Amino acid sequence: MKKFICLMASLVGLVATTGVQADNFYAGGFGGINWATNAHHHHKYKTGYVLGLDAGYKWCNGFRAELEFSYRNNRVRRNWDNNNSRHANTQLYAGLVNVLYDFDALDCWCIKPFVGAGIGYASERKVKQHSNKRHHGFAWQLIAGVAYPLNDCVDLNLQYRFFKSVEKHDNHALVLGVNYNFY
């Protein structure tokens, strides 16, 4: 799986650099709230947080490709019975390649809606009272949001992200991000 992800990242990089101009690159960061769910276990997740960095390239046709590194953290409580419960902390690191599409036709409202999807690799660590488990594997996400240009170089965006991790947890995040466009 690691070879497949490296191959896909290399192909995206090769395609992205064909006809690339230096003024279409951007970089940014995001942060917000994250809540996790797992339908297969009786876990109660507390609302946590997500932080991330991304860098990418915008094409003139509305598409953009980016690399993302993100970190998610949630506390979890598992009820074994009515009298006994255990607490744990879930930490998730992910590296993804995202492809997004900006709807420029709606630019007349001063906001730009966008949608996207990403694939990558995630490492999840569960820290319990007496154990420390780590799982690695394939991860993917779906993204929807709106961007608002503050000026020619800086965009502020609000996003919803659905992230599927290696442990089959569903992570939902509402994040606020800032991108700097290298024009």
Side-chain angles (χ1 to χ4, degrees):
M1 183 56 78
K2 289 180 187 178
K3 291 179 183 178
F4 173 74
I5 292 171
C6 289
L7 176 66
M8 292 303 293
S10 298
L11 288 174
V12 168
L14 181 64
V15 170
T17 57
T18 305
V20 169
Q21 298 174 357
D23 59 355
N24 288 338
F25 283 101
Y26 67 92
F30 59 88
I33 59 172
N34 183 69
W35 59 100
T37 60
N38 188 335
H40 302 293
H41 300 288
H42 301 289
H43 297 287
K44 292 186 178 179
Y45 289 92
K46 296 197 179 259
T47 302
Y49 62 92
V50 59
L51 300 171
L53 298 172
D54 53 25
Y57 181 80
K58 293 180 183 182
W59 283 274
C60 294
N61 60 3
F63 283 99
R64 53 188 164 115
E66 69 181 22
L67 297 175
E68 170 193 319
F69 176 76
S70 62
Y71 171 76
R72 290 168 171 80
N73 188 314
N74 287 87
R75 283 189 51 81
V76 62
R77 186 181 81 198
R78 178 167 182 169
N79 290 329
W80 297 99
D81 56 38
N82 291 337
N83 299 325
N84 191 10
S85 66
R86 292 189 180 174
H87 296 276
N89 196 33
T90 301
Q91 300 171 344
L92 196 142
Y93 298 89
L96 297 134
V97 176
N98 298 325
V99 176
L100 298 113
Y101 181 75
D102 295 319
F103 294 98
D104 289 332
L106 301 174
D107 194 23
C108 59
W109 292 339
C110 295
I111 61 168
K112 290 184 181 181
F114 60 89
V115 294
I119 61 169
Y121 187 77
S123 175
E124 185 172 356
R125 181 176 159 214
K126 286 187 179 179
V127 181
K128 297 180 183 177
Q129 291 174 343
H130 302 292
S131 69
N132 189 354
K133 293 182 181 180
R134 186 173 289 279
H135 300 279
H136 308 276
F138 177 75
W140 59 272
Q141 73 176 344
L142 299 173
I143 304 166
V146 292
Y148 179 78
L150 296 177
N151 58 38
D152 288 340
C153 295
V154 179
D155 293 337
L156 185 65
N157 57 65
L158 179 65
Q159 306 171 30
Y160 167 76
R161 292 173 175 248
F162 174 81
F163 181 86
K164 192 74 161 179
S165 70
V166 292
E167 276 290 294
K168 297 183 176 59
H169 296 134
D170 296 340
N171 284 274
H172 307 270
L174 187 61
V175 300
L176 188 61
V178 175
N179 284 347
Y180 181 82
N181 302 299
F182 297 99
Y183 294 129

